[in-house]
């Protein structure tokens, strides 16, 4: 008898990490209620985010990242014998459980079609009957969140580079959705905005969607809540000189640089969430209009962004934010501190801190 497998394929920035964390935290409860969220041990602790595992099993070059595979990933990749071990663990877990199993990996939405097809074929070969779920977000907040992550995260891009990457890819969300649909014609697209309105947010919406009727007693997780505007903009300024595209050292040295206490403090700075400005988003204006109309016509009004616009001016920096930035700068290495003190002034749109 075929085993049902619910395959959650993203998209990115639609609370996938919260869904994964909630499922992992409630494995025992989920099994008692008829669902399995399998975790496997690749190296070290068991891996609850299936993105990393499946990337190593089915991508031709799992050590690359970026929309064009232009950057070294920085996280380790599995050796051939480790991949076979992990694949066998997954297969055993999926075959042995009699109820539906859940795999969640937002990275699947960026696979090449043949890579995703290889995953599909392997899952069906071990007896899985697939139900594929994809969450889709309104296009302007998706852009804000995606670009902010590419600056604030391990890619370490500037805002301009992050926008440029999307321009070169000739698409925003539509190419990912069409790719997923080409491999999984039965894919279900769900509105992220509808999921957010659920009493337990996107994790509750997802679990209810796949058939879990009793949500009582679950531990709800919320992770990756977004970056402050000031945090992203300060890091973008810094990466004009020290970003991944300009880094002269090894990938390990870049990782050490990005995790220094001062930069971690900058990432933690609070304030209004990051949002692109009108001028910053202008290179994507035609794509935004075309894809927003396509979302409306293809999927319906719930997927259409009613206000696909961006503010003309940056958010004003509060005295509390300036104080937090100054405190963070004191934790930075001298080269970072000196560069930012000189750079954070007009025309960056960020309050000057050169007197700190």
């Amino acid at each position: 008898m075929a085993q049902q497998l619910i395959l959650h394929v993203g998209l990115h920035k639609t609370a996938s990490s919260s869904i994964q964390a909630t499922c992992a935290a409630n494995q025992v409860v989920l099994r008692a209620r008829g669902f399995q969220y399998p975790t496997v041990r690749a190296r070290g602790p068991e891996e609850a985010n299936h993105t990393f595992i499946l990337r190593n099993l089915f991508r031709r070059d799992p050590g690359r990242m970026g929309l064009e595979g232009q950057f070294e990933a920085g996280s380790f990749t599995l050796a051939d014998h480790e991949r076979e071990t992990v694949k066998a663990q997954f297969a055993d877990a999926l075959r042995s459980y009699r109820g539906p199993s859940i795999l969640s990996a937002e990275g699947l939405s960026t696979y090449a079609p043949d890579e995703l097809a290889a995953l599909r074929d392997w899952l069906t070969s071990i007896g899985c009957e697939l139900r594929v779920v994809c969450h889709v977000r309104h296009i302007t907040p998706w852009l804000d969140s995606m670009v902010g992550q590419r600056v604030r995260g391990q890619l370490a891009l500037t805002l301009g580079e992050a926008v440029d990457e999307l321009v070169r890819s000739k698409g925003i969300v539509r190419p990912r959705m069409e790719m997923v649909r080409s491999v999984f014609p039965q894919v279900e697209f769900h509105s992220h905005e509808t999921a957010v309105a659920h009493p337990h947010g996107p994790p509750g919406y997802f679990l209810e969607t796949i058939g879990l009727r009793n949500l009582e007693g679950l531990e709800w997780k919320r992770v990756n809540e977004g970056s402050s505007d000031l945090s992203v903009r300060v890091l973008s300024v810094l990466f004009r000189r020290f970003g991944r595209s300009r880094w002269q050292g090894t990938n390990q040295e870049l990782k050490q640089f990005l995790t220094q206490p001062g930069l971690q403090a900058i990432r933690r700075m609070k304030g209004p969430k990051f949002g692109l400005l009108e001028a910053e988003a202008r290179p994507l204006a035609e794509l935004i209009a075309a894809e927003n109309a396509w979302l409306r016509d293809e999927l319906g009004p719930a997927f259409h962004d009613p206000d696909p616009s961006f503010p003309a001016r940056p958010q004003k920096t509060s005295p509390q934010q300036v104080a937090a930035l100054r405190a963070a700068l004191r934790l930075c290495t001298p080269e970072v501190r000196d560069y930012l003190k000189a750079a954070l002034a007009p025309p960056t749109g960020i309050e000057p801190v050169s007197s700190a």
Side-chain angles (χ1 to χ4, degrees):
M1 176 180 285
Q3 301 297 103
Q4 187 184 44
L5 175 70
I6 295 109
L7 186 62
H8 173 232
V9 299
L11 299 172
H12 285 90
K13 311 314 295 178
T14 58
S16 299
S17 296
S18 294
I19 291 170
Q20 292 157 355
T22 296
C23 289
N26 293 282
Q27 283 177 290
V28 173
V29 177
L30 287 175
R31 283 183 73 93
R33 297 177 187 175
F35 290 82
Q36 174 188 218
Y37 187 78
T39 56
V40 298
R41 189 180 301 277
R43 281 186 199 166
E46 289 194 341
E47 184 62 52
N49 183 337
H50 298 139
T51 295
F52 165 75
I53 297 296
L54 296 179
R55 184 182 75 203
N56 269 276
L57 298 185
F58 295 100
R59 300 219 74 172
R60 277 185 295 276
D61 197 351
R64 308 298 295 178
M65 63 182 177
L67 294 179
E68 303 160 301
Q70 68 271 44
F71 300 118
E72 185 181 345
S75 56
F76 67 79
T77 56
L78 299 178
D80 289 343
H81 72 280
E82 292 174 312
R83 280 195 288 272
E84 291 308 309
T85 298
V86 170
K87 188 179 276 192
Q89 288 178 15
F90 251 137
D92 289 345
L94 296 174
R95 285 193 187 109
S96 62
Y97 190 69
R98 292 304 173 192
S101 295
I102 304 165
L103 294 186
S104 177
E106 72 277 11
L108 295 176
S109 63
T110 61
Y111 279 30
D114 63 318
E115 294 171 337
L116 198 58
L119 168 63
R120 176 201 62 201
D121 294 345
W122 177 71
L123 289 171
T124 55
S125 75
I126 62 173
C128 293
E129 182 181 274
L130 301 180
R131 179 182 178 185
V132 185
V133 176
C134 182
H135 286 203
V136 182
R137 189 174 180 178
H138 283 174
I139 202 161
T140 48
W142 185 90
L143 264 176
D144 287 340
S145 190
M146 189 71 165
V147 169
Q149 182 193 52
R150 301 181 91 69
V151 175
R152 186 173 175 266
Q154 60 175 324
L155 275 182
L157 304 181
T158 67
L159 288 173
E161 289 170 339
V163 169
D164 234 21
E165 190 185 25
L166 288 164
V167 171
R168 290 196 306 273
S169 72
K170 296 182 171 58
I172 306 172
V173 297
R174 181 176 177 177
R176 295 160 181 73
M177 295 169 63
E178 290 183 324
M179 187 280 299
V180 170
R181 184 181 267 172
S182 73
V183 179
F184 300 111
Q186 80 279 26
V187 60
E188 303 169 23
F189 291 114
H190 293 264
S191 162
H192 172 70
E193 283 68 27
T194 300
V196 168
H198 189 278
H200 297 295
Y205 176 89
F206 172 75
L207 290 173
E208 204 168 72
T209 295
I210 65 172
L212 184 65
R213 298 301 171 217
N214 181 5
L215 301 181
E216 295 299 319
L218 291 173
E219 181 183 353
W220 303 103
K221 297 290 186 179
R222 294 170 64 95
V223 297
N224 292 346
E225 285 296 290
S227 313
S228 76
D229 194 75
L230 181 62
S231 172
V232 171
R233 293 187 179 281
V234 168
L235 290 169
S236 178
V237 169
L238 177 66
F239 295 152
R240 293 175 189 173
R241 178 169 173 182
F242 297 104
R244 185 176 289 272
S245 299
R246 295 158 193 79
W247 190 256
Q248 299 299 311
T250 66
N251 208 59
Q252 183 61 33
E253 289 168 337
L254 175 60
K255 183 177 180 180
Q256 291 172 348
F257 175 84
L258 294 175
T259 55
Q260 63 177 273
L263 267 61
Q264 296 288 55
I266 291 173
R267 289 187 181 90
R268 290 192 299 268
M269 290 191 306
K270 304 297 183 183
K273 284 189 177 181
F274 167 74
L276 283 166
L277 301 180
E278 183 180 19
E280 294 164 342
R282 192 169 293 134
L284 291 165
E286 289 186 15
L287 274 175
I288 291 168
E291 291 201 11
N292 197 34
W294 180 83
L295 286 164
R296 177 197 62 216
D297 298 341
E298 187 74 13
L299 299 183
F303 296 86
H304 180 255
D305 191 339
D307 183 22
S309 62
F310 300 88
R313 295 182 180 81
Q315 302 175 43
K316 185 170 177 57
T317 307
S318 70
Q320 292 84 359
Q321 288 177 298
V322 174
L325 177 55
R326 286 175 172 159
L329 288 178
R330 287 194 286 271
L331 299 174
C332 291
T333 59
E335 62 175 351
V336 169
R337 183 168 57 247
D338 292 345
Y339 175 76
L340 284 176
K341 281 186 176 182
L344 294 183
T348 63
I350 302 171
E351 295 288 336
V353 295
S354 57
S355 59

